[in-house]
Amino acid sequence: MSPSEPDPSPRRRELLEAAYAYALRGGLAELSLRPLAEAIGSSPRVLLYLFGSKDGLIRALLARARADELAALRRIMDAREEPRGLRPVARELWRWLSDDAHRGLLTLWVESYTRSLTDPDGPWDGFARATVEDWLTLLAAAQPAEVRDTEAGRDERTLVLAVLRGGLLDLLATGDTARVTAAVHSQLASEEQ
């Protein structure tokens, strides 16, 4: 089932939300159906019935996480005052990325991104590429129209994305918000000059 299709089963939606909360706390790397089912008040058999397989459940969880991330990014983009430009939007995005309230989602994102690279035939297939495209599309919307469709515009948003994602990885690894935020802001300021 694609994220855009209506979900006919309220029980499936309920269990997906519970499994998503579980994944935000513990990730997907060692996901086992029996402990998951017990934690969310279900059974492995019901999960297999509703999601088709463990891989089907993981794909549904990845789609759910991606939807959460995109919704948050769109809220940031929609809240900006026109015209703001790429760097101010990048600073707002960094504020969201560095907020402790989003650690579970961002850790799950990093895990899924990595698995997409190391297990390209598994349920993570295409996740990394799709999220890069999601972010580049959103960053393009922050660029002036006359820059957006140029090679320089593409290069600029690719660099901003690299700074944000590199900073995120460092922040998740160290928890040093002050140091990483200073570095991200410094890099974004140097690119404006």
Side-chain angles (χ1 to χ4, degrees):
M1 174 180 313
S2 79
S4 62
E5 292 178 24
D7 188 351
S9 168
R11 181 67 174 150
R12 185 181 190 277
R13 283 192 304 271
E14 174 189 338
L15 289 175
L16 179 61
E17 288 304 309
Y20 180 57
Y22 181 90
L24 288 175
R25 290 188 305 274
L28 294 173
E30 302 300 322
L31 184 70
S32 177
L33 288 182
R34 194 169 311 285
L36 168 65
E38 185 177 314
I40 65 173
S42 185
S43 72
R45 211 174 252 194
V46 168
L47 292 175
L48 290 173
Y49 173 76
L50 291 172
F51 295 96
S53 65
K54 181 179 172 182
D55 283 358
L57 174 59
I58 290 172
R59 278 190 288 278
L61 290 168
L62 292 175
R64 177 65 181 82
R66 188 170 170 215
D68 248 12
E69 179 185 22
L70 284 173
L73 297 176
R74 284 192 186 105
R75 279 192 300 275
I76 291 167
M77 297 299 289
D78 292 345
R80 67 191 170 97
E81 297 173 16
E82 297 291 336
R84 292 287 303 277
L86 186 55
R87 297 309 182 293
V89 166
R91 282 188 277 280
E92 290 174 32
L93 288 168
W94 178 254
R95 190 173 11 255
W96 184 84
L97 288 169
S98 62
D99 185 335
D100 283 341
H102 308 125
R103 282 298 178 273
L105 173 60
L106 295 171
T107 301
L108 181 63
W109 173 84
V110 169
E111 176 189 6
S112 301
Y113 190 95
T114 304
R115 289 296 297 264
S116 178
L117 300 175
T118 61
D119 186 10
D121 297 325
W124 293 269
D125 180 35
F127 182 83
R129 176 177 288 283
T131 62
V132 168
E133 291 169 3
D134 292 340
W135 277 73
L136 289 175
T137 298
L138 288 165
L139 291 171
Q143 292 178 300
E146 64 273 7
V147 173
R148 186 177 306 135
D149 295 326
T150 67
E151 189 173 323
R154 184 203 62 214
D155 293 350
E156 180 185 34
R157 64 184 171 266
T158 298
L159 180 58
V160 166
L161 178 58
V163 168
L164 293 173
R165 290 214 167 148
L168 174 62
L169 290 173
D170 192 346
L171 177 62
L172 291 174
T174 67
D176 193 341
T177 305
R179 177 184 58 81
V180 179
T181 296
V184 167
H185 285 183
S186 175
Q187 182 61 39
L188 293 173
S190 73
E191 292 170 15
E192 288 175 318
Q193 299 169 7

